[in-house]
Amino acid sequence: MCMSPTLLSAAAALISLTSPPLPPQAPEPARQVRGRLINAQAQPVADALVLACDATSGLPLYGPKWLPFGSASDMQIAMASMRTAFTDAEGNFLFENAPDRPVKLVAQQWSKPPKPPKPLDVNGSIVRLVASPTVVDKDANEPVTLAPTGTAVLKVEAESANSESLVIVSTSPTIADPILGFSGWNGQFMRDALAWNRMPLGQTLFVGLPAGIVHITVFAADNNPGFGEALNIELREGHMTRVEIPWVASWSYGVHSPSPKIAEVRSAMENASLFSPVVWLKYLNDRNIVMPEPKPGSRMIIFPPDMLNTVVDLPGEAGKVRVGDSVAALAYENMRAQVTAPGRSLNPYREPVVTIKPLPENYTVD
């Protein structure tokens, strides 16, 4: 099977993340995970995709051993064998030969998708979250009922001339600035993911989300990846929240400058005479904090959550910094050099643009 490089890059967004320790490889007993999907009127929901994810990491599962995506060495195999099920006319779904461990189920529909939709394909710009993500315990033997979550609507826009960007919505924030890429997705962000979509021309409308605070990330799967995020976004029942997310990337329309928070970290490092990759890495090494190496065949470095969240004391009265923020400050300096070398001007930092409006009465989407 041949897949486009951009589609493989979308899969890399998940494969690049830190996977939990793999379960013992001894044969596991055959187990069924089955259930029924209903709407707010307790009527069955047909033709919905149910994605099985690892309950510990939140990563999708693939293959006959139901391994988390982060353990995959072959993206094509992982993508072709993602553990999915589809609801029938009565809303029933079934996973055969499931592992003897907890599994997280995420269910959604697309408006007028290709038949059948695949999780990382371009399936459409309208996504219905038809059920709240649910963890099925390893000892559960009864069918699980998946029910709807809310009436909030979220419209995500990220400037794009193609359909090669991925958006993920979670109830937990990322743990690193977008300039550190997939590293920020590790940990609780993926564990608490609500919904996802491969965005046609950078557009997605999520329908049926619960009210509350969500956090959104976007990833552009092209030859010059960009990342963006919008944190602490409010969703209200019966309202549409519209979010325009700027890209952190070296592109002509990308954000090249750090947020005030990261700029402050840079200033503290400069005051301590530590704002240099060589000097800073030695400073961290002297404190037994060793930077990870890129994955084989890749220049990409994925930082473990514990490392990103480690707080380091600076000399004298310079204060403290998170390792993740310090590395982000250095990464922005690298981008500054890359952008200005050919004589281009730096684009300033931009916040996401957020608007919230009540939905019209009897609001529907096609």
Side-chain angles (χ1 to χ4, degrees):
M1 178 174 63
C2 180
M3 298 183 184
S4 69
T6 48
L7 182 54
L8 290 176
S9 294
L14 300 175
I15 286 180
S16 298
L17 299 181
T18 301
S19 175
L22 296 180
Q25 296 303 299
E28 294 181 328
R31 173 190 173 213
Q32 289 185 337
V33 173
R34 54 198 173 97
R36 188 166 185 254
L37 186 58
I38 59 173
N39 61 20
Q41 290 74 42
Q43 297 299 309
V45 177
D47 300 321
L49 181 148
V50 183
L51 177 67
C53 300
D54 178 68
T56 301
S57 66
L59 296 175
L61 295 166
Y62 78 97
K65 294 184 179 180
W66 292 60
L67 300 178
F69 238 65
S71 66
S73 58
D74 189 313
M75 286 183 283
Q76 293 192 9
I77 291 176
M79 288 183 64
S81 60
M82 293 178 74
R83 307 306 306 197
T84 59
F86 293 91
T87 56
D88 63 17
E90 297 301 317
N92 298 311
F93 63 89
L94 172 66
F95 290 95
E96 298 276 13
N97 301 314
D100 188 25
R101 60 184 189 274
V103 174
K104 176 185 174 182
L105 302 178
V106 183
Q108 58 186 47
Q109 283 180 317
W110 288 265
S111 179
K112 302 175 182 177
K115 297 289 185 179
K118 296 180 180 178
L120 293 179
D121 279 1
V122 181
N123 297 314
S125 61
I126 300 175
V127 178
R128 290 181 175 86
L129 184 62
V130 290
S132 175
T134 301
V135 174
V136 181
D137 190 75
K138 69 182 183 69
D139 299 319
N141 295 315
E142 297 300 317
V144 60
T145 299
L146 303 184
T149 58
T151 63
V153 176
L154 171 65
K155 186 174 186 179
V156 179
E157 299 178 354
E159 184 177 353
S160 178
N162 57 45
S163 300
E164 307 301 343
S165 52
L166 182 70
V167 56
I168 298 179
V169 182
S170 175
T171 56
S172 289
T174 56
I175 57 173
D177 188 274
I179 201 165
L180 297 188
F182 303 130
S183 294
W185 297 17
N186 268 320
Q188 204 68 35
F189 174 79
M190 283 301 298
R191 201 151 39 237
D192 292 337
L194 288 173
W196 79 94
N197 195 38
R198 186 168 164 199
M199 307 203 305
L201 301 178
Q203 308 277 322
T204 291
L205 184 72
F206 291 103
V207 179
L209 291 163
I213 300 299
V214 297
H215 312 272
I216 310 161
T217 61
V218 289
F219 158 63
D222 61 12
N223 293 328
N224 187 11
F227 295 84
E229 67 181 17
L231 304 181
N232 299 306
I233 302 302
E234 182 185 5
L235 301 182
R236 301 176 190 169
E237 294 288 345
H239 286 68
M240 177 186 289
T241 300
R242 178 173 173 266
V243 184
E244 297 177 59
I245 302 179
W247 293 103
V248 174
S250 60
W251 310 329
S252 60
Y253 58 86
V255 169
H256 306 147
S257 305
S259 67
K261 171 187 172 183
I262 301 300
E264 188 174 308
V265 169
R266 171 181 177 143
S267 178
M269 294 171 69
E270 288 177 331
N271 290 339
S273 300
L274 292 172
F275 193 70
S276 155
V278 173
V279 174
W280 184 242
L281 290 180
K282 182 179 184 305
Y283 190 80
L284 293 180
N285 284 337
D286 290 344
R287 284 148 185 80
N288 297 315
I289 302 172
V290 180
M291 292 292 106
E293 295 291 329
K295 287 199 170 190
S298 171
R299 293 180 300 172
M300 185 182 305
I301 296 177
I302 304 299
F303 296 90
D306 289 349
M307 175 178 289
L308 292 173
N309 288 322
T310 298
V311 176
V312 177
D313 289 310
L314 299 178
E317 302 296 322
K320 304 173 183 283
V321 297
R322 280 179 73 243
V323 170
D325 295 338
S326 70
V327 175
L330 291 169
Y332 275 104
E333 173 59 20
N334 183 65
M335 181 185 287
R336 184 201 64 78
Q338 180 183 351
V339 170
T340 58
R344 293 165 52 198
S345 299
L346 289 174
N347 292 335
Y349 171 75
R350 284 186 289 138
E351 291 272 3
V353 177
V354 182
T355 56
I356 303 177
K357 294 182 178 179
L359 293 170
E361 190 173 353
N362 300 320
Y363 173 82
T364 60
V365 293
D366 294 330

